C-alpha cells in the first residue's frame, strides 16, 4: 500500500499546507536619506521590493501609473518587483537608484543619500526572493503593491513591527542595520500571510481550486512533494474517486489535466533548484526521477520556455561579472 503520510496536508486547510513553508529571503537592503526635491527610479526585477518610510512622507508612482502618498511609518511591498518611482512630490524628476554611491554599513546593508544639509525623507528598502518560483499561481494573483497599513487591522503584529522599524531606522544604535534587515523580512512575510489569510483578494481561479474540499487536498500533496512520481491513479485514490472521475473533476476545477499540472509544478521546482540552489542539471533531473538529462531538459523547456542550460549559463555570466 502506498504511504501518503510523509508530507500530506496536516492542518485541514490545503492553502495553509501549501504555503506553510513560504519564505522571503532578503538579499540586499539600503538606508537612504533624501533632501527635497528628489526622485528615485527602481527598475523591474525578479526579486520583491520592500520600502519603509522612516521619516517625512513621500509619493509612490505605482506600476499602474497612479501616484499614492506614503506617510512616515508606512511600509509597502511590491511582490513581483515591478518598476516604480519614489519621489518627494508627484512628477518630480527621478534618477535611477543604481546611479547613487553607497557605503556598506554591515553585510548586505548599504547607506546612500543625495547629500542634502537638512534632515530629509528617511527610507529603508530591500530586495527579497520568495522561495516560490516566479510562475507560481499565488505570485500571479498578488497585487502589484501591498501596503502594510491596509492589512494591520487584520494582523495585530504589523503595528508593532512598524514601530520597531521606526525606532531602528535612524541607525543610532549598535546593530541597527542587521536588526532593520531582519524586521523588514518579518514584516514583508507578515504582510503576505495577512493577505493570504484574508482570502488572497480573490475567490476564483487557483485559490478556488485549492479551497475545494477534495481537489485542494490533492493540490497540496503535489506542491508539498513535487519530486514524487505522482500518477493519475495515485491522485485519484487520494481523493477516493475513480481515475476517470478524478481526471474530469480535476480538469474542470483546476483548468488543467492532472498530468500537465504535476509537470508544471515539478518544472517550477526544478527552476528553483537550478537558480536558487544552483544545483547541477543532472542532480535536478535525478531528483525528479528522469532517466536522462535530455528527457528532463525537453520537459523543462516545454513548460518554462527555455532549456535548463540557459539558466546555468546566466548564473555563470553573473558570477564572472561579480568577480
Amino acid at each position: 500500500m502506498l504511504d501518503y503520510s510523509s508530507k500530506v496536508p496536516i492542518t485541514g486547510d490545503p492553502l495553509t499546507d501549501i504555503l506553510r513553508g513560504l519564505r522571503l529571503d532578503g538579499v540586499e537592503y539600503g538606508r537612504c536619506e533624501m533632501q527635497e526635491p528628489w526622485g528615485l527610479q527602481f527598475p523591474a526585477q525578479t526579486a520583491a521590493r520592500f520600502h519603509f518610510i522612516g521619516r517625512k512622507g513621500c509619493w509612490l508612482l505605482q506600476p499602474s501609473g497612479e501616484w499614492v502618498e506614503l506617510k512616515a511609518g508606512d511600509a509597502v511591498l511590491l511582490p513581483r518587483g515591478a518598476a516604480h518611482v519614489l519621489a518627494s512630490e508627484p512628477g518630480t524628476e527621478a534618477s535611477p537608484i543604481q546611479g547613487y554611491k553607497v557605503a556598506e554599513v554591515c553585510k548586505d546593508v548599504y547607506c546612500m543619500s543625495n547629500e542634502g544639509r537638512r534632515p530629509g525623507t528617511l527610507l529603508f528598502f530591500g530586495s527579497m526572493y520568495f522561495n516560490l518560483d516566479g510562475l507560481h499561481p499565488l505570485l500571479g494573483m498578488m497585487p502589484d503593491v501591498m501596503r502594510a497599513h491596509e492589512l494591520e487591522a487584520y494582523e495585530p503584529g504589523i503595528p508593532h513591527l512598524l514601530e520597531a522599524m521606526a525606532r531602528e531606522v535612524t541607525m543610532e544604535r549598535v546593530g541597527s542595520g542587521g536588526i532593520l534587515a531582519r524586521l523588514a523580512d518579518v514584516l514583508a512575510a507578515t504582510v503576505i500571510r495577512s493577505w493570504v489569510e484574508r482570502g488572497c483578494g480573490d475567490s476564483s481561479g487557483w485559490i478556488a481550486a485549492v479551497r475545494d474540499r477534495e481537489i485542494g487536498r490533492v493540490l497540496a500533496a503535489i506542491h508539498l512533494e513535487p519530486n514524487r512520481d505522482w500518477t493519475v491513479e495515485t491522485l485519484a485514490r487520494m481523493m477516493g474517486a475513480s481515475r476517470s472521475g478524478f481526471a474530469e473533476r480535476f480538469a474542470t476545477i483546476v483548468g488543467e489535466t492532472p498530468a500537465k499540472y504535476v509537470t508544471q509544478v515539478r518544472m517550477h521546482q526544478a527552476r528553483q533548484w537550478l537558480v536558487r540552489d544552483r544545483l547541477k542539471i543532472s542532480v535536478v533531473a535525478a531528483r525528479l526521477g528522469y532517466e536522462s538529462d535530455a528527457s528532463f531538459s525537453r520537459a523543462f523547456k516545454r513548460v518554462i520556455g527555455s532549456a535548463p542550460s540557459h539558466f546555468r549559463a546566466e548564473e555563470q555570466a553573473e558570477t564572472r561579472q561579480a568577480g
Side-chain angles (χ1 to χ4, degrees):
M1 178 178 290
L2 290 172
D3 176 19
Y4 303 125
S5 63
S6 58
K7 290 187 181 180
V8 165
I10 59 174
T11 69
D13 176 18
L15 182 61
T16 299
D17 287 315
I18 290 174
L19 299 178
R20 67 175 182 251
L22 179 65
R23 190 177 70 246
L24 278 167
D25 295 321
V27 293
E28 190 175 73
Y29 307 88
R31 176 188 180 274
C32 180
E33 188 161 1
M34 304 298 289
Q35 179 66 50
E36 297 178 356
W38 61 269
L40 294 173
Q41 295 176 2
F42 292 85
Q45 62 179 29
T46 54
R49 290 267 195 196
F50 171 87
H51 296 291
F52 173 73
I53 316 303
R55 181 180 64 220
K56 201 171 184 180
C58 62
W59 291 78
L60 167 68
L61 178 59
Q62 302 179 100
S64 64
E66 298 179 2
W67 288 94
V68 60
E69 187 175 10
L70 302 178
K71 305 284 190 180
D74 261 346
V76 294
L77 178 69
L78 291 89
R80 289 186 296 279
H84 59 285
V85 170
L86 288 178
S88 54
E89 294 289 343
T92 303
E93 183 178 353
S95 303
I97 186 72
Q98 304 95 317
Y100 285 83
K101 292 181 180 180
V102 298
E104 187 172 24
V105 176
C106 58
K107 187 177 185 299
D108 300 326
V109 181
Y110 302 88
C111 271
M112 55 169 278
S113 74
N114 63 351
E115 300 180 349
R117 295 187 178 181
R118 294 175 298 161
T121 303
L122 189 57
L123 311 171
F124 187 80
F125 51 86
S127 293
M128 307 165 179
Y129 281 100
F130 285 92
N131 64 331
L132 297 176
D133 186 77
L135 295 177
H136 192 285
L138 185 73
L139 290 182
M141 295 177 61
M142 289 180 184
D144 287 331
V145 178
M146 306 171 81
R147 297 185 65 177
H149 279 311
E150 293 176 354
L151 296 167
E152 65 184 17
Y154 308 92
E155 181 58 63
I158 287 178
H160 299 296
L161 290 167
L162 291 171
E163 290 168 8
M165 290 197 73
R167 288 194 298 269
E168 299 292 339
V169 75
T170 57
M171 287 196 177
E172 295 175 349
R173 302 182 65 189
V174 174
S176 291
I179 291 172
L180 273 170
R182 300 291 78 78
L183 286 170
D185 290 350
V186 174
L187 179 56
T190 303
V191 166
I192 295 295
R193 181 175 67 180
S194 178
W195 176 77
V196 169
E197 290 180 346
R198 286 184 59 213
C200 302
D202 192 358
S203 59
S204 61
W206 185 77
I207 290 295
V210 172
R211 288 186 169 141
D212 181 87
R213 185 173 61 86
E214 296 174 328
I215 294 297
R217 183 169 184 267
V218 172
L219 292 177
I222 294 170
H223 280 272
L224 289 171
E225 293 190 280
N227 56 326
R228 186 165 175 170
D229 184 20
W230 294 110
T231 64
V232 175
E233 290 81 1
T234 302
L235 296 172
R237 284 199 295 274
M238 181 178 294
M239 198 178 88
S242 67
R243 185 184 187 282
S244 60
F246 162 72
E248 181 178 356
R249 180 167 172 75
F250 188 98
T252 299
I253 293 177
V254 179
E256 305 276 8
T257 66
K260 185 174 181 180
Y261 189 87
V262 167
T263 301
Q264 289 175 347
V265 172
R266 285 160 61 84
M267 294 306 113
H268 293 168
Q269 179 62 65
R271 184 162 69 170
Q272 287 286 289
W273 284 335
L274 289 167
V275 176
R276 183 191 66 205
D277 300 336
R278 299 182 178 182
L279 298 184
K280 293 181 178 179
I281 295 172
S282 58
V283 174
V284 175
R287 278 192 177 187
L288 293 177
Y290 284 88
E291 296 182 355
S292 69
D293 293 0
S295 59
F296 161 69
S297 295
R298 286 193 296 270
F300 186 92
K301 186 174 183 179
R302 190 165 57 247
V303 173
I304 303 299
S306 299
S309 56
H310 168 77
F311 295 93
R312 296 295 295 171
E314 277 191 345
E315 178 202 325
Q316 291 165 3
E318 290 174 0
T319 301
R320 285 195 297 271
Q321 290 174 3

